[in-house]
Amino acid sequence: MKLFAASLATETNAYSPIPTDLNSFRDTLWFEGGSHPDHPTLMTAPLWVARRRAQQEGWNLVEGLSAWAEPSAVVRRDAYEAMRDQILAELSAALPVDGVVLGLHGAMVADGYDDCEGDLLARMRAMVGPDVVIAAELDLHCHLTRAMTDAADILVIFKEYPHTDFVERGEEVVDLCLRTIRHQIRPVMSVHDCRMIGLHLTNRAPMRGFVESLFAAEREPGILSVSLAHGFPYADVPETGAKVLVVSDGEASRPAGEALATRLGHGFFALRGQTMPPLVAAGQAVDEALAAGGGPWVLADPTDNPGVGAPSDSTVLLRHLLERGIADAAVGPIWDPMAVAMCHAAGEGAELALRFGAKVAAASGQPVDARVRVIRATADARQSFGKARVAMGDAAAVEILPDGRTDDGAGSGGGPAVVLTSFRCQGFSPDLFTGMGVTLADRRVVVVKSTNHFSAAFAPIAKGIVYADSGGVVTYDHASLPYQRVPRPIWPLDPVN
């Protein structure tokens, strides 16, 4: 038996100010076939799992390109076509194969391609024919298009947001693929369109209960897998929106699969408007954390989250902290490659006048001009995201020195500490800070550029979490976005019943 595995992924925000070219992938995650490290990443778990299974079971795996870019604007056409064609050429060279397993996102848009994943899957199907099993893992912020379900035999979607289960879902998709090749199952897919746009946090009620209902549904007779595609609300494409996907066993199971998808879809739609915590104005969020006392209080900065296409260079929350004289705070990550380079040139322990932040968009505020001490300057810095290690590029942690005075502490005796990165990335784990020499136990406030991925790792150390609205480029009032091509009617744009 022989399988082919590859990964191609990004999440396209039609309203992001960040262009996306081939270097956006090369600079973030790029592994040529056979060079993927021996640990999973968010979009490459199927390849990593398949490699382990092949070694354990004695079958052959051919590995193709794995590429990922941080979410940003529409991908250049030449970039997408170059990566697509490389993967297709690698698959062609590997033929004949019994199966294909892919790590895809499901919300990648390029110039001329509303549905990059559907295009890639369709071309693969045309190449391998009807009998080869094609299976893919998708991010739950995918669009789940008709082209995807037409071309693939098996699609499995993350259940959790934050995405703590990407390895488990990778194991699921590889297992279903192998069982299909071995004629143990005959998967068929059923989809229910929920007619709904939004963001839905699964680690809190009511979504926690809904996710548990997905697991319970998988225990019903004939049901192989159940997923909810949340959709990505910052894409203006014809098939955006939430959908329920049920994979059942055999054509005779299709009516039951369709009925289950419809039932779950109606249950999910009943939760509309209840699945995001309220956003608090930036100044109010800081004041609430300070008034509560103790710490650390974690302030999420979702409107500047690079994980949905924002720059991650807003200084708005940091300025509120500075204006209030809050020294025991930490902020990160702020994307500023030039400031990082200056800190590296100065060296650890050095003091310098530094301007940083607010380079990309007016919504990011104004740059901060301060005298800082370099706490740490690290090449190829990384942070944890579950079982993955996420690249931050070269990074620097600095301490803002109050009133020009020097400080001899270890990153906690002067002003706020800030982690600066040369790669645009969101905050996933406390080691974003601690790995850069910034202590957290003695901080009253920790600002994290993220919507929800931070919560799994930060919640255990946080006295509380506040979702702050810093007025960044990502709005959470989805009805205010200037959609032109999304399917109508759809909630919250229309009063869908």
Side-chain angles (χ1 to χ4, degrees):
M1 181 170 62
K2 181 165 69 171
L3 268 65
F4 174 81
S7 179
L8 178 59
T10 190
E11 184 178 59
T12 299
N13 184 332
Y15 312 106
S16 172
I18 314 293
T20 312
D21 65 358
L22 195 60
N23 286 332
S24 303
F25 294 83
R26 290 188 175 277
D27 292 343
T28 306
L29 186 151
W30 186 280
F31 300 120
E32 296 286 348
S35 69
H36 191 285
D38 193 23
H39 62 76
T41 73
L42 181 65
M43 289 288 114
T44 65
L47 183 150
W48 181 76
V49 171
R51 179 191 288 175
R52 287 193 307 154
R53 292 287 297 268
Q55 292 168 349
Q56 293 166 359
E57 299 172 13
W59 45 267
N60 187 23
L61 177 69
V62 179
E63 299 181 11
L65 174 69
S66 292
W68 156 261
E70 194 68 16
S72 48
V74 172
V75 180
R76 279 179 43 165
R77 184 184 188 115
D78 58 348
Y80 165 62
E81 290 180 341
M83 293 182 291
R84 177 200 67 191
D85 292 349
Q86 176 175 337
I87 291 172
L88 291 174
E90 291 167 336
L91 172 59
S92 178
L95 294 178
V97 297
D98 300 286
V100 175
V101 289
L102 301 170
L104 305 174
H105 185 286
M108 181 176 179
V109 179
D111 291 324
Y113 299 90
D114 287 337
D115 176 16
C116 294
E117 290 86 353
D119 175 66
L120 175 63
L121 288 166
R123 291 172 185 270
M124 284 186 164
R125 176 58 69 198
M127 179 181 293
V128 302
D131 298 326
V132 171
V133 179
I134 298 179
E137 180 183 35
L138 301 174
D139 188 294
L140 58 71
H141 293 122
C142 66
H143 302 310
L144 193 61
T145 66
R146 181 64 179 270
M148 296 181 203
T149 56
D150 282 349
D153 297 285
I154 303 159
L155 297 173
V156 172
I157 303 171
F158 305 162
K159 286 185 173 67
E160 303 291 354
Y161 180 42
H163 300 333
T164 54
D165 65 332
F166 59 90
V167 173
E168 289 80 0
R169 301 288 78 74
E171 291 171 343
E172 180 181 342
V173 76
V174 171
D175 187 64
L176 291 175
C177 180
L178 293 174
R179 291 171 64 193
T180 304
I181 292 170
R182 292 164 177 159
H183 305 292
Q184 297 168 344
I185 57 173
R186 294 169 297 154
V188 296
M189 293 191 286
S190 303
V191 176
H192 176 81
D193 190 338
C194 302
R195 316 303 305 152
M196 183 174 170
I197 290 173
L199 287 174
H200 318 287
L201 280 55
T202 66
N203 58 337
R204 53 192 296 143
M207 282 301 297
R208 185 69 252 147
F210 187 80
V211 171
E212 294 304 323
S213 75
L214 301 182
F215 284 114
E218 290 178 333
R219 295 193 289 271
E220 296 184 15
I223 303 303
L224 300 173
S225 175
V226 181
S227 303
L228 172 67
H230 295 201
F232 187 56
Y234 303 101
D236 190 12
V237 292
E239 293 185 76
T240 194
K243 301 178 179 72
V244 174
L245 169 67
V246 174
V247 184
S248 56
D249 187 9
E251 191 60 37
S253 72
R254 188 182 297 276
E258 292 177 348
L260 176 59
T262 298
R263 172 167 59 83
L264 290 169
H266 289 165
F268 176 62
F269 187 75
L271 303 179
R272 62 195 181 281
Q274 306 173 47
T275 59
M276 272 287 292
L279 267 61
V280 179
Q284 180 184 345
V286 173
D287 291 341
E288 286 185 7
L290 297 176
W297 279 83
V298 175
L299 303 188
D301 191 4
T303 68
D304 191 38
N305 176 15
V308 291
S312 191
D313 70 345
S314 171
T315 60
V316 171
L317 280 166
L318 174 58
R319 285 190 171 277
H320 279 287
L321 294 169
L322 293 172
E323 289 167 2
R324 289 159 174 76
I326 308 305
D328 49 352
V331 178
I334 289 182
W335 179 46
D336 194 329
M338 184 179 294
V340 170
M342 292 181 67
C343 292
H344 277 246
E348 293 183 0
E351 295 179 11
L352 69 156
L354 186 68
R355 167 171 281 198
F356 63 88
K359 297 285 198 301
V360 175
S364 296
Q366 294 297 315
V368 170
D369 290 284
R371 188 158 188 82
V372 306
R373 182 176 66 85
V374 180
I375 301 169
R376 186 162 296 175
T378 302
D380 190 25
R382 294 177 183 269
Q383 62 174 316
S384 301
F385 182 32
K387 297 176 183 178
R389 295 287 289 167
V390 178
M392 303 192 295
D394 292 346
V398 301
E399 185 174 45
I400 297 176
L401 301 176
D403 303 322
R405 292 183 285 108
T406 60
D407 173 68
D408 295 325
S412 59
V418 180
V419 173
L420 305 166
T421 63
S422 58
F423 284 4
R424 198 166 51 91
C425 58
Q426 66 180 299
F428 293 112
S429 169
D431 64 8
L432 159 70
F433 296 101
T434 58
M436 295 298 297
V438 177
T439 60
L440 294 182
D442 52 356
R443 304 283 168 176
R444 275 194 288 172
V445 176
V446 178
V447 175
V448 182
K449 306 282 187 176
S450 180
T451 301
N452 201 41
H453 285 322
F454 75 94
S455 61
F458 276 90
I461 70 165
K463 182 170 183 182
I465 295 173
V466 180
Y467 290 80
D469 185 354
S470 67
V473 302
V474 176
T475 180
Y476 287 82
D477 178 10
H478 300 127
S480 70
L481 291 170
Y483 295 115
Q484 299 294 318
R485 307 177 65 218
V486 299
R488 307 293 290 269
I490 193 167
W491 188 91
L493 278 62
D494 307 295
V496 179
N497 295 318

